[in-house]
Amino acid sequence: MNERTYKAYVQILEDELIVATGCTEPIAIAFASAKAAQVLGSETERISISVSGNIIKNVHSVTVPNTGGQHGVKTAVAAGIAAGDADKGLDVLSGLNEDGRAYMARYLEEHEIRVEFADTSEPFYIDVRVFGGNGGSARVVMAKNHTNVVLVERDGEILQDTRTDDPSDGENALTELLNVADIIEFADTVDLADVEEVLSRQAEYNYAISCEGLKNDWGGRVGKLYASDAYPDDLLTQAKAAAAAGSDARMGGCPMPVVIVSGSGNQGITASVPIVVYARALDIPREKMLRALAVSDLISIYQKSGIGCLSAFCGAVSAGTGAACGIAYLLGGRIEEIEHTIVNSLGTVSGMVCDGAKPSCAAKIAMAIESGVFGYRLFKNGNEFYAGDGIVTMGVDETIRNVSRMAREGMRETDREILSIMIDSE
């Protein structure tokens, strides 16, 4: 592997595998609100926030952590103001304690928070404006991804402006170097000292919230059902149960940190927890587990890089496919097995839609992992899907591009209709 690609893959893992407390869309709102209040530098009297439809979709039904079970845009804004520490980024709500919750409750009662739809075609867009009692104001705009601050203003003066008309602005240009063959070579040859910290943290944090989801009643309790006597006790079921349980806890507002992938905690859990479960059950050395995590993460990121962080395409599909590739790697599979795992998985379940963050995400995660592992088993039993079978085409990288095109371009109207249904159902 050439040095440029090697360094890019290490950097991608460092950029993508970051810590977040809670579902990343409400947390991004909380972060932007805390940042705006920090820039204002005084008590905020009122707030207006303008967000894209995809943000509304993913904040609509999920519990904001450390808020006592509340959800919604206004809760996320007030939580960010109450937490106050914008320097923590997507971990901004980790320090929201009892006093902070009391302040948040008073703030929601006593201060105006106006929420509007943003007039933008950008799937990810947050524009927070805060106003102080002394006539001061501040504004923070985020676009493209969950930490990409593109505009900062105070009292009308621009302090930062990185907005461009480039549609790829805010996206990780390094992901253009991703391809399946190089990902496998990277996993085989990477000096683990270069990636061990981020991969170990991912395994530790995400497995821990999985255990919490299996132990206590969170969300839809999907993981607990899979772990019960109602389902056969095989290794795949254990992996599905563990990953779903992590999502149960996260969607239910569990304040434990998660290492995200492609801007999503659910995808981070899906891409990592099944690898840990298989490695522990089969007594696989830690070194091999970390290399398998690199496979799963990079293949998940590769698929999502052509789709974007928010769309009508369920990100669990990408991460479930990535997890199956990591499992195949653990079991001795390499390029041939992994390529066919991807194609067979995407040929099966790539029509699953994203209708926002909520408890049923855990069930979708379980289905995505099963579909991914089915794709691996299908090939190992001498069968596969061929070019011309729907969106499947010759070559794994071309098939991934077809799915990206369908998700990013073809499902735009689907995305709008999903949001319309959710609003009409209120």
Side-chain angles (χ1 to χ4, degrees):
M1 170 167 284
N2 67 64
E3 184 178 5
R4 176 172 177 256
T5 302
Y6 180 94
K7 289 183 176 179
Y9 284 18
V10 171
Q11 190 64 52
I12 288 168
L13 291 173
E14 291 179 352
D15 291 344
E16 295 280 352
L17 273 60
I18 59 177
V19 177
T21 301
C23 179
T24 47
E25 280 72 51
I27 296 305
I29 288 175
F31 166 54
S33 301
K35 176 75 172 177
Q38 185 182 72
V39 172
L40 179 66
S42 63
E43 189 80 12
T44 60
E45 292 298 318
R46 60 186 178 90
I47 301 173
S48 68
I49 178 169
S50 177
V51 295
S52 57
N54 281 88
I55 298 294
I56 294 286
K57 185 176 75 171
N58 278 351
V59 177
H60 183 271
S61 302
V62 71
T63 301
V64 183
N66 287 329
T67 63
Q70 298 187 59
H71 56 84
V73 173
K74 291 184 179 181
T75 294
V77 170
I81 297 295
D85 192 355
D87 293 335
K88 289 185 176 181
L90 295 185
D91 207 23
V92 63
L93 296 188
S94 61
L96 187 60
N97 54 23
E98 186 173 346
D99 289 341
R101 283 188 288 276
Y103 178 82
M104 183 192 77
R106 290 196 304 273
Y107 197 93
L108 285 167
E109 287 182 3
E110 299 171 1
H111 295 79
E112 177 188 4
I113 301 176
R114 192 168 80 179
V115 181
E116 298 177 341
F117 278 102
D119 183 17
T120 177
S121 60
E122 169 60 46
F124 189 104
Y125 185 84
I126 299 171
D127 184 346
V128 179
R129 300 169 191 255
V130 298
F131 303 89
N134 59 358
S137 66
R139 181 187 182 194
V140 169
V141 177
M142 296 174 61
K144 301 294 183 183
N145 67 55
H146 299 76
T147 57
N148 189 40
V149 176
V150 298
L151 180 68
V152 178
E153 294 181 0
R154 182 174 57 232
D155 297 332
E157 177 186 357
I158 294 177
L159 306 181
Q160 172 190 334
D161 189 354
T162 56
R163 295 171 295 176
T164 72
D165 294 328
D166 184 353
S168 65
D169 178 51
E171 298 180 359
N172 193 338
L174 295 176
T175 59
E176 294 181 359
L177 297 175
L178 290 169
N179 64 79
V180 174
D182 280 348
I183 289 171
I184 307 309
E185 183 180 356
F186 175 81
D188 283 340
T189 61
V190 63
D191 182 349
L192 288 179
D194 291 335
V195 296
E196 185 167 9
E197 182 178 355
V198 293
L199 293 176
S200 294
R201 182 172 58 221
Q202 181 188 35
E204 176 188 350
Y205 284 17
N206 294 1
Y207 188 71
I209 198 171
S210 162
C211 292
E212 169 63 24
L214 287 171
K215 180 181 178 181
N216 295 305
D217 290 336
W218 291 97
R221 300 184 292 281
V222 175
K224 294 189 78 169
L225 176 59
Y226 273 112
S228 71
D229 294 336
Y231 283 84
D233 186 22
D234 63 11
L235 190 50
L236 174 57
T237 300
Q238 292 175 36
K240 289 160 55 179
S247 177
D248 282 328
R250 184 170 171 272
M251 295 293 93
C254 177
M256 294 176 68
V258 166
V259 173
I260 69 176
V261 167
S262 299
S264 164
N266 276 345
Q267 290 173 56
I269 290 167
T270 306
S272 59
V273 170
I275 312 301
V276 178
V277 170
Y278 267 75
R280 289 167 66 96
L282 301 176
D283 199 25
I284 289 172
R286 178 175 178 78
E287 176 182 323
K288 190 170 184 179
M289 181 193 76
L290 293 176
R291 295 184 187 277
L293 279 173
V295 170
S296 178
D297 289 329
L298 288 171
I299 286 178
S300 300
I301 294 164
Y302 178 26
Q303 295 171 80
K304 280 291 287 181
S305 67
I307 297 171
C309 69
L310 297 178
S311 74
F313 185 89
C314 179
V317 172
S318 304
T321 299
C325 293
I327 290 168
Y329 187 93
L330 280 180
L331 299 178
R334 287 302 182 269
I335 187 69
E336 186 178 26
E337 291 88 350
I338 288 171
E339 285 184 341
H340 284 89
T341 295
I342 294 170
V343 171
N344 289 342
S345 175
L346 294 180
T348 302
V349 75
S350 57
M352 190 184 295
V353 299
C354 172
D355 53 342
K358 68 237 172 281
S360 66
C361 290
K364 293 186 177 187
I365 285 170
M367 294 297 101
I369 293 168
E370 180 165 351
S371 175
V373 175
F374 168 79
Y376 169 67
R377 289 176 173 174
L378 187 68
F379 176 70
K380 292 296 286 184
N381 281 276
N383 300 298
E384 60 183 286
F385 300 135
Y386 294 94
D389 291 344
I391 59 175
V392 172
T393 191
M394 184 66 68
V396 63
D397 297 296
E398 288 300 321
T399 295
I400 289 173
R401 277 189 276 275
N402 281 357
V403 172
S404 297
R405 175 184 168 188
M406 176 193 72
R408 191 163 196 158
E409 305 298 332
M411 297 180 76
R412 285 179 178 173
E413 185 59 37
T414 301
D415 208 23
R416 287 190 284 268
E417 195 61 32
I418 289 170
L419 179 61
S420 177
I421 290 169
M422 292 173 66
I423 292 172
D424 290 346
S425 299
E426 288 186 333

